Amino acid sequence: MADLVYPPIIGAALTAFRGLDLKIEIDGAENVPRTGGAVLVSNHISYLDFLFAGLGAFKSARRKTRFMAKDDVFKHRISGPLMRGMHHIPVDRSDGQPAYDAAVAALRAGEVVGVFPEATISRSFMLKKFKTGAARMAADAEVPLVPVILWGTQRLWTKGRPKNLTRRHTPVSIRIGEPIHLTPEDRPVMVTRRLREAMNQLLEGAQRDYPDQPSGPEDRWWLPAHLGGTAPTPQQAEEEDTRAAEEKATRNG
């Protein structure tokens, strides 16, 4: 497909990253398939994750990732034309079948499709429960799953915190795991469990090797609770998500 919008967006993002002197480290770049379809599966800790997950695939193999994103983003007067121009895939959460079919068609056509299986940003910065859509798409299209872990992006802009898009010198880790190839006998639930385990190992490694530490007690918010940070535990984060969903439903009701 023709890509008139994607290259300038990538160029602008790379220029911004250089201007902020972000310390971006990409590990496992060789795991991104050079050709053919693949489902790029990333954790979700920041509103900017699609940029960095896509960067991992682009820098290593010059692959342009078509991300699945909620359709509200496509309705925005600024982001909408850009998302459509980059051939990302809108998802209507009340009826996800058209998006699923579009993603499978793109995979069969040799595209890389990006998926966030947690669906929403993790407030705990740990992995939430995974939906099985990525595994089902990979099975239907007969393509591999490529696990991706991001760490450090939450320090720029995440849920419940003021965005800091001018923050300089921030380390950002992008870790790309070995592709997971499915067989006809594989069940989506078991593949999803295997995928989550692989991504959890990548996440633990990224957290362990991250080259920066909080500057003081007030700066411990971006660390998970089990690592001594003040981020909510996974259980507390789930409770916050439930409250937020109920409040949104009340407002829209």
Side-chain angles (χ1 to χ4, degrees), residues 61-134:
R62 287 297 185 267
R63 303 299 306 271
K64 301 181 182 72
T65 305
R66 317 300 177 179
F67 282 95
M68 302 183 75
K70 59 183 180 181
D71 57 0
D72 289 350
V73 182
F74 291 79
K75 296 174 183 176
H76 191 275
R77 64 185 182 84
I78 296 176
S79 63
L82 296 176
M83 295 292 283
R84 288 190 292 273
M86 289 186 281
H87 305 292
H88 294 313
I89 300 170
V91 179
D92 182 348
R93 289 184 177 174
S94 65
D95 179 13
Q97 192 62 46
Y100 182 91
D101 293 342
V104 170
L107 291 167
R108 287 174 175 164
E111 296 282 352
V112 176
V113 173
V115 176
F116 296 106
E118 300 164 281
T120 59
I121 289 174
S122 171
R123 299 175 191 263
S124 71
F125 307 131
M126 300 301 294
L127 296 181
K128 300 171 62 174
K129 295 177 182 178
F130 279 19
K131 297 183 181 298
T132 61

